[in-house]
């Protein structure tokens, strides 16, 4: 039953599996159990999913309470569609390893870029003065 | 300890705002209690807590002994404070804390008189003495009262209870150690979670600390369960709770909800309690265990929050549809337990309702069409579409789901700035709309210097325009409402309103003078926002006023065109076109003359410049087209002397110019232009013209 037609409300999403993207880039998948007026979420049987390329790994996390302002977006997971995944599930260690290598590669390219830019006499503002995402 | 009360207080203010519909109801009844509020209330709340805890510890005596427990928790603490070791001989039931502060609110079987007197004094002492306060410090008062931390209090509660038990026990020699009692009572019943569902949320005005119970308690301490089972027995009878005080209905309602699990609202379906219950009403909600008798709902289901909404206060009136919606929700049957998901009822219906209500309050507005414009528009369009469908034969009258929010009829005005006479500065008055008004920033009007910075002037004009935009929006909205309103007086009033505002706009815009130019309207026309504003205002202006603007535009066309860096001029075209279409011939001629007249400071004509500018060219075309229309129509034209000559002269002039210069693409190429030219010019020229115009536009100019 739609309590508030024409509005966006999380009430109908309760007790359904959701994918939540957080501001720090993490992806959580869990059953949405409770909300409040700030869209703080309580996720049950949560799993943090790390994606690297075409692979992904799940880290079971248990119960998550997420402060509303840290949510970028969330959406209901279609349980039927979830079964046919294009991506390949790997073990946690493997995905963490992949993530580490990806991070390293990114840092390396950033470093090279910065160096090249410096050589040309330009400067790029430091990342820590900017927002993360 | 006081600190712990404040969050509770502020917490209360939030949900009080969330039940505005109920506020009126409550205040009427609770007035006498309200008077005693404040410190007494706080003390009462504290008392309750203490009472409860002590009840837990010592109240079981009642079950076992059957006599009145000296188990007056207040006694204990009074003992501490008064240093009087003798327990009070005829202790009234420990619910006195409530009654003491709200004498009229309940009917207790054993109305304590001595207690109340003693209670008051004692309570004062109790709270004066910091030492006493400290003994109860271990209690999770803040946590238990904070609605956000429900589970925390549960877990901490048991630990505290235990510790308090041990703490208090040695002091009371007359009482057997509580722990052993509790353990003796042992496990009365295993809490069946799926049957009892979850505890209701701690709604912030729910003061009793015992509220945040959940069935998860069962996991923690089975021995305690038993005690509560006992408690409830006593609780129920003691509690013909009449919700008189503002907070009562809330409090009573929430604990009762446990009984209506899963997922439903308060249901009167429980069998009434038959066994006599001599004790604390507070413990009523402590009932657990499947086979213990449940207390009857002592307040009728009509204290249901939903029904509370039936009496809206002066603050909010309910839309009849909203009322219907609410009553529908009330009648909604209990949701059957989702058996496959044991965690499915973590968020109870009441909590969901609470959030929905809160969100709906945020949608309250006196003027929904203004505040929530997009939704209202969207809904109107959907309705219109559905109505259309219905007319077309789709008999099914399906009403689109509408978000009906309570609309506020009375405007609550607040004074954002409070100024005490003779003081320096302002008193800090913070509301939810203006949380902090630290400084009173006043725009300092700079003196009228001769040489003002042009940029600053521009900014001033811009700010004027922006302020006037609100007026324009009001005009547009009033116009829209005028179409829908049926009452004649209302319509007239609206029209007067519109006219007044339009005049205001017109006068203000004409006065803006940039660079001391003598021309009216120019300054706002030079700014893109001003252009779009004038374009929107033009439909509302009288014929003369709009004519005036048209002539201003035409006269200052070169300036406008040259300074139109944003290419915002075309925005004026539709409105001006509409004005031109209403022009009479002589007025038209006057405007057209401007085009061919040489400019004072250059030898170009407006004509030559206009050819290079989309807007200018389109304006010219529009004027010509109107002239042609007037001429070819049968309407009498009443031209003044010399009009026709001017007209033909202009046409020749224009034609010559147009055929010679390369033209830009106009905004709109009127179809009767070539007809016009054909009439006056020879074929060759016409042909040349045609080619020129077409090459600019890329599509054929329709020719006769």
């Amino acid at each position: 039953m739609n309590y508030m037609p024409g509005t966006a409300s999380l009430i109908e999403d309760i007790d359904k599996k959701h994918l939540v993207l957080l501001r720090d880039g993490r992806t959580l998948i869990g059953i949405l159990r409770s909300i409040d007026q700030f869209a703080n979420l309580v996720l049950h049987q949560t799993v943090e999913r790390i994606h690297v390329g075409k692979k992904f790994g799940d880290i079971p996390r248990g119960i998550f309470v997420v402060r509303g302002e840290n949510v970028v977006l969330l959406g209901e997971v279609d349980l039927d569609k979830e079964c046919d995944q294009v991506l390949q599930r790997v073990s946690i260690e493997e995905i963490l390893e992949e993530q580490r290598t990806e991070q390293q590669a990114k840092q390396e390219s950033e470093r090279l870029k910065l160096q090249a830019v410096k050589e040309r006499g330009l400067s790029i503002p430091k990342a820590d003065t900017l927002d993360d995402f | 300890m006081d600190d712990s009360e404040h969050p509770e207080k502020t917490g209360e203010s939030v949900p009080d705002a969330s039940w505005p519909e109920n506020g009126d109801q409550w205040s009427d009844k609770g007035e006498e209690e309200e008077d005693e509020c404040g410190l007494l209330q706080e003390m009462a709340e504290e008392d309750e807590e203490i009472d409860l805890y002590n009840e837990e510890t010592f109240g079981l005596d009642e079950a076992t002994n059957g006599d009145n427990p000296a188990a007056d928790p207040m006694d204990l603490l009074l003992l501490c404070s008064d240093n009087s070791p003798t327990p009070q001989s005829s202790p009234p039931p420990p619910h006195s804390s409530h009654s003491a502060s709200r004498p009229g609110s309940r009917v207790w079987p054993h109305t304590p008189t001595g207690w109340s007197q003693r209670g008051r004094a004692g309570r004062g002492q109790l709270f004066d003495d910091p030492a006493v306060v400290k003994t109860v410090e271990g209690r999770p008062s803040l946590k238990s009262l904070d609605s956000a931390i429900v589970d925390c209090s549960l877990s901490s509660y048991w630990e505290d209870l235990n510790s308090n038990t041990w703490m208090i026990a040695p002091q009371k020699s007359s009482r057997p150690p509580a722990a052993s009692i509790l353990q003796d009572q042992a496990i009365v019943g295993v809490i069946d979670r799926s049957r009892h569902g979850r505890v209701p949320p701690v709604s912030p005005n729910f003061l009793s600390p015992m509220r945040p119970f959940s069935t998860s308690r069962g996991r923690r301490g089975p021995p305690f369960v038993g005690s509560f089972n006992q408690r409830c027995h006593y609780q129920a009878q003691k509690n013909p709770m009449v919700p008189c005080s503002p907070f009562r209905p809330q409090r009573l309602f929430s604990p009762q909800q446990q009984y209506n699990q899963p997922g439903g609202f308060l249901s009167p379906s429980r069998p009434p309690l038959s066994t006599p219950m001599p004790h604390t009403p507070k413990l009523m909600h402590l009932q657990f265990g499947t086979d213990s008798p449940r207390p009857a709902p002592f307040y009728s289901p009509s204290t249901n929050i939903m029904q509370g909404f039936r009496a809206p206060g002066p603050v909010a009136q309910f839309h009849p549809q909203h009322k219907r919606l609410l009553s529908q929700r009330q009648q909604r049957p209990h949701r059957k337990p989702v058996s496959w998901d044991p965690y499915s009822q973590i968020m109870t219906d009441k909590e969901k309702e609470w959030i929905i209500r809160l969100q709906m309050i945020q949608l309250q507005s006196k003027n929904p069409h203004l505040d929530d414009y997009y939704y209202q528009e969207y809904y109107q369009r959907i309705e219109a579409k559905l109505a259309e469908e219905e007319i077309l034969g789709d008999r099914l009258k399906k009403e689109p789901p509408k978000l009906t929010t309570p609309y506020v009829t009375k405007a609550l005005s607040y004074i954002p700035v409070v100024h005490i006479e003779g003081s320096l500065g302002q008193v800090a008055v913070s509301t939810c709309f203006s949380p902090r008004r630290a400084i009173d920033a006043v725009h300092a009007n700079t003196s009228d210097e001769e040489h003002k910075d042009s940029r600053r002037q521009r900014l001033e004009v811009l700010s004027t325009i922006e302020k006037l935009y609100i007026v324009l929006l009001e005009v547009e909205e009033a116009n829209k409402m005028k179409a829908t309103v049926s009452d004649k007086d209302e319509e007239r009033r609206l029209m007067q309103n519109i006219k007044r505002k339009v005049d205001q706009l017109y006068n203000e815009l004409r006065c803006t003078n940039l660079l001391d130019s003598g021309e009216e309207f120019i300054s706002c026309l030079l700014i893109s926002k001003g252009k779009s504003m004038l374009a929107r205002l033009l439909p509302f202006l009288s014929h003369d006023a709009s004519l005036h603007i048209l002539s201003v535009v035409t006269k200052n066309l070169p300036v406008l065109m040259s300074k139109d860096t944003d290419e915002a001029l075309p925005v004026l075209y539709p409105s001006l076109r509409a004005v031109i279409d209403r022009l009479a011939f002589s007025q038209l001629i006057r405007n057209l003359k401007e085009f061919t007249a040489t400019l004072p400071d250059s030898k170009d004509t407006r004509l030559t410049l206009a050819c290079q500018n989309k807007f200018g060219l389109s304006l010219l075309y529009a004027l010509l087209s109107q002239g042609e229309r007037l001429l070819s129509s049968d309407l009498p034209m009443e031209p003044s002397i010399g009009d026709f000559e001017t007209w033909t002269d202009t046409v020749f002039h224009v034609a010559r110019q147009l055929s010679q210069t390369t033209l830009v693409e106009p905004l709109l190429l009127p179809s009767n232009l070539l007809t016009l030219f054909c009439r006056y010019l020879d074929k060759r020229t016409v042909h040349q013209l045609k080619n020129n115009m077409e090459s600019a536009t890329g599509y054929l100019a329709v020719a006769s």
Side-chain angles (χ1 to χ4, degrees):
Chain A
M1 175 193 159
N2 192 4
Y3 286 86
M4 297 219 289
T7 64
S9 175
L10 287 171
I11 294 284
E12 297 95 40
D13 290 330
I14 296 250
D15 295 334
K16 294 182 183 149
K17 191 166 182 183
H18 276 73
L19 183 144
V20 181
L21 184 64
L22 301 181
R23 266 169 48 178
D24 61 357
R26 278 190 278 183
T27 309
L28 303 177
I29 298 177
I31 306 172
L32 184 64
R33 287 297 179 198
S34 185
I35 57 164
D36 72 350
Q37 67 266 38
F38 308 110
N40 294 333
L41 316 169
V42 172
L43 295 170
H44 185 217
Q45 291 166 357
T46 321
V47 139
E48 181 182 334
R49 186 163 286 185
I50 301 178
H51 289 270
V52 178
K54 283 224 151 46
K55 304 184 189 163
F56 73 92
D58 284 344
I59 306 173
R61 295 288 195 191
I63 300 179
F64 251 90
V65 174
V66 183
R67 191 179 163 96
E69 64 172 337
N70 293 306
V71 174
V72 170
L73 54 87
L74 71 138
E76 194 184 331
V77 171
D78 189 336
L79 296 169
D80 305 324
K81 289 188 184 162
E82 200 187 14
C83 295
D84 28 67
Q85 280 264 22
V86 198
L87 307 170
Q88 175 204 3
R89 177 195 283 263
V90 296
S91 70
I92 297 174
E93 296 83 17
E94 193 179 331
I95 199 71
L96 286 172
E97 185 57 42
E98 292 262 351
Q99 195 183 39
R100 211 187 343 265
T101 35
E102 190 190 41
Q103 275 295 91
Q104 277 176 353
K106 209 190 283 189
Q107 273 174 1
E108 186 60 32
S109 72
E110 273 299 311
R111 195 182 62 79
L112 287 173
K113 221 196 290 182
L114 196 63
Q115 200 173 351
V117 154
K118 250 196 206 171
E119 282 168 10
R120 285 156 179 77
L122 305 165
S123 70
I124 294 180
K126 282 214 188 120
D128 50 356
T129 59
L130 304 168
D131 216 20
D132 270 348
F133 282 90
Chain B
M1 217 43 169
D2 277 343
D3 283 354
S4 69
E5 293 298 340
H6 292 313
E8 178 190 0
K9 280 283 170 215
T10 50
E12 274 177 19
S13 65
V14 169
D16 275 341
S18 73
W19 323 112
E21 308 87 356
N22 226 347
D24 179 58
Q25 213 185 27
W26 294 346
S27 60
D28 284 341
K29 289 178 188 159
E31 241 151 52
E32 60 272 20
E33 288 89 19
E34 291 289 278
D35 298 340
E36 308 175 27
C37 278
L39 181 59
L40 260 179
Q41 190 179 319
E42 286 181 37
M43 299 200 304
E45 289 152 15
E46 195 65 53
D47 287 353
E48 278 179 78
E49 257 184 276
I50 296 161
D51 285 355
L52 227 38
Y53 290 123
N54 284 314
E55 263 314 294
E56 287 309 307
T57 319
F58 307 107
L60 280 172
D61 291 343
E62 299 155 0
T64 51
N65 311 341
D67 56 14
N68 252 338
D72 195 341
M74 280 312 295
D75 289 351
L76 169 61
L77 296 162
L78 284 175
L79 284 178
C80 302
S81 60
D82 299 350
N83 276 332
S84 57
T86 55
Q88 309 299 329
S89 48
S90 59
H95 60 263
S96 52
S97 62
H98 292 287
S99 51
S101 61
R102 292 175 180 80
S105 62
R106 300 184 196 180
V107 177
W108 302 116
H110 313 278
T111 312
T113 49
W115 167 247
S116 51
Q117 295 158 14
R118 188 187 31 162
R120 290 241 174 107
R123 205 167 295 114
Q125 282 179 327
L126 178 67
F127 285 92
D128 288 345
D129 188 347
V132 174
V133 168
K134 278 178 195 138
T135 59
V136 301
E137 206 168 346
R139 306 188 189 277
S141 51
L142 168 63
K143 288 186 273 184
S144 63
L145 295 169
D146 187 343
S147 66
I149 314 172
V150 174
D151 282 332
C152 169
S153 65
L154 295 174
S155 53
S156 59
Y157 172 77
W158 294 107
E159 282 135 20
D160 281 309
L161 188 59
N162 264 327
S163 60
N164 284 333
T165 306
W166 296 117
M167 200 162 57
I168 294 171
Q171 292 173 14
K172 291 216 114 204
S173 52
S174 58
R175 304 192 191 291
S180 59
I181 288 182
L182 294 169
Q183 275 155 11
D184 286 343
Q185 290 296 322
I187 305 160
V188 169
V190 175
I191 295 165
D192 187 343
R193 190 196 186 128
S194 60
R195 277 184 56 185
H196 288 273
R198 292 269 321 173
V199 205
V202 178
S203 57
N205 27 345
F206 202 108
L207 300 176
S208 165
M210 296 303 276
R211 250 174 288 134
F213 271 152
S214 85
T215 53
S216 61
R217 264 187 338 135
R219 281 184 258 144
R220 280 227 152 228
F224 300 118
V225 173
S227 65
F228 291 110
N229 276 321
Q230 299 292 322
R231 293 282 147 61
C232 66
H233 293 275
Y234 318 137
Q235 184 77 343
Q237 198 209 26
K238 265 300 179 249
N239 192 12
M241 292 252 188
V242 177
C244 302
S245 74
F247 309 103
R248 288 305 167 209
Q250 279 305 86
R251 264 186 245 149
L252 297 175
F253 183 57
S254 351
Q256 275 294 32
Q257 210 203 340
Q258 286 175 24
Y259 309 131
N260 307 315
Q261 292 305 325
F265 265 106
L266 181 63
S267 82
S269 60
R270 301 291 179 192
L273 190 57
S274 50
T275 56
M277 309 286 171
H279 285 299
T280 28
K282 285 188 288 280
L283 298 175
M284 175 170 69
H285 55 271
L286 300 181
Q287 155 150 332
F288 279 95
T290 60
D291 44 356
S292 44
R294 288 165 177 64
F298 288 102
Y299 41 96
S300 72
S302 58
T303 57
N304 187 328
I305 295 295
M306 295 289 247
Q307 286 177 325
F309 290 143
R310 202 164 281 157
V315 174
Q317 291 291 335
F318 271 118
H319 196 267
Q321 208 171 344
H322 196 183
K323 278 192 195 169
R324 211 189 318 141
L325 203 75
L326 286 174
S327 58
Q328 275 169 13
R329 280 195 209 159
Q330 222 179 303
Q331 291 148 23
R332 184 168 42 94
H334 299 300
R335 207 170 288 134
K336 65 169 175 63
V338 191
S339 49
W340 54 268
D341 189 359
Y343 302 99
S344 59
Q345 298 300 322
I346 284 177
M347 198 169 178
T348 61
D349 270 350
K350 187 163 178 279
E351 286 166 322
K352 293 181 189 175
E353 289 289 337
W354 187 72
I355 289 180
I356 290 166
R357 211 156 284 135
L358 206 62
Q359 291 174 332
M360 284 191 120
I361 284 159
Q362 291 165 358
L363 295 174
Q364 270 180 16
S365 102
K366 231 181 66 170
N367 187 356
H369 204 77
L370 186 69
D371 294 333
D372 196 10
Y373 171 74
Y374 292 103
Y375 178 74
Q376 301 290 335
E377 268 301 308
Y378 166 72
Y379 188 73
Q380 272 174 15
R381 287 182 195 190
I382 289 206
E383 266 188 328
K385 200 163 17 123
L386 275 181
E388 218 176 84
E389 271 175 28
E390 208 185 299
I391 291 167
L392 288 175
D394 187 6
R395 282 282 112 196
L396 202 66
K397 181 157 202 294
K398 36 189 163 77
E399 200 166 301
K402 170 144 187 160
L403 174 68
T404 45
T405 53
Y407 51 81
V408 179
T409 52
K410 177 178 146 199
L412 302 165
S413 66
Y414 71 103
I415 308 160
V417 172
V418 174
H419 189 264
I420 298 175
E421 291 310 312
S423 73
L424 295 168
Q426 309 164 10
V427 175
V429 172
S430 49
T431 66
C432 61
F433 294 107
S434 64
R436 230 180 125 143
R437 255 182 101 97
I439 51 170
D440 197 10
V442 175
H443 180 72
N445 220 356
T446 55
S447 59
D448 249 13
E449 298 139 20
E450 287 303 320
H451 313 288
K452 265 194 190 169
D453 193 20
S454 68
R455 194 159 25 106
R456 196 145 49 110
Q457 260 189 320
R458 212 184 143 82
L459 285 176
E460 277 178 20
V461 175
L462 194 59
S463 87
T464 317
I465 291 172
E466 280 166 6
K467 287 196 191 94
L468 289 174
Y469 245 106
I470 296 174
V471 184
L472 180 66
L473 285 171
E474 286 170 6
V475 167
E476 284 179 346
E477 184 166 319
N479 198 38
K480 222 188 296 185
M481 272 189 19
K482 193 163 64 85
T484 58
V485 86
S486 53
D487 183 18
K488 281 294 170 209
D489 285 334
E490 184 76 23
E491 196 174 337
R492 205 174 344 114
R493 208 161 46 78
L494 276 173
M495 287 193 65
Q496 283 171 0
N497 204 9
I498 291 173
K499 189 172 180 323
R500 189 168 39 88
K501 292 206 173 105
V502 165
D503 287 339
Q504 178 194 356
L505 281 165
Y506 186 73
N507 291 324
E508 290 219 26
L509 283 176
R510 113 205 303 207
C511 293
T512 54
N513 261 346
L514 207 57
L515 303 167
D516 298 321
S517 62
E519 276 293 343
E520 302 170 333
F521 292 109
I522 288 305
S523 35
C524 74
L525 274 172
L526 286 173
I527 298 174
S528 318
K529 258 196 181 169
K531 289 182 190 116
S532 51
M533 176 162 212
L534 265 179
R536 280 167 81 167
L537 179 63
L538 268 169
F540 294 102
L541 288 173
S542 65
H543 189 61
D544 291 335
S546 45
L547 260 183
H548 184 56
I549 291 188
L550 176 66
S551 60
V552 163
V553 167
T554 323
K555 265 192 221 127
N556 296 283
L557 207 52
V559 176
L560 289 176
M561 289 192 297
S562 63
K563 292 213 173 160
D564 184 27
T565 45
D566 294 339
E567 290 199 32
L569 268 176
V571 82
L572 280 167
Y573 180 75
S575 322
L576 284 177
R577 183 76 203 268
V579 174
I580 288 171
D581 287 346
R582 295 197 301 262
L583 277 181
F585 195 65
S586 37
Q587 295 159 340
L588 178 73
I589 294 298
R590 249 181 285 135
N591 270 305
L592 263 181
K593 251 205 294 201
E594 300 288 339
F595 269 94
T596 51
T598 48
L599 293 168
D601 43 356
S602 85
K603 53 177 168 33
D604 282 327
T605 56
R606 291 186 180 83
L607 182 58
T608 43
L609 296 170
C611 291
Q612 304 309 315
N613 184 285
K614 250 190 178 162
F615 174 73
L617 197 60
S618 321
L619 199 64
L620 179 65
Y621 284 172
L623 286 167
L624 289 172
S625 163
Q626 171 69 357
E628 169 63 19
R629 214 152 45 84
L630 284 173
L631 280 171
S632 53
S633 73
D634 297 326
L635 298 169
M637 284 205 307
E638 302 161 20
S640 349
I641 300 171
D643 268 352
F644 280 120
E645 290 82 10
T646 324
W647 167 251
T648 34
D649 278 343
T650 317
V651 172
F652 275 124
H653 203 138
V654 165
R656 194 169 52 236
Q657 186 66 47
L658 287 180
S659 52
Q660 283 165 8
T661 52
T662 47
L663 303 171
V664 297
E665 187 180 342
L667 293 166
L668 182 67
L669 189 63
S671 50
N672 52 3
L673 271 186
L674 276 178
T675 327
L676 163 69
F677 289 127
C678 280
R679 200 130 44 93
Y680 290 91
L681 305 165
D682 55 291
K683 254 204 167 51
R684 195 172 54 87
T685 328
V686 171
H687 203 73
Q688 218 175 352
L689 249 179
K690 186 164 173 285
N691 285 336
N692 215 1
M693 277 158 66
E694 274 171 21
S695 64
T697 62
Y699 57 86
L700 299 170
V702 175
S704 58

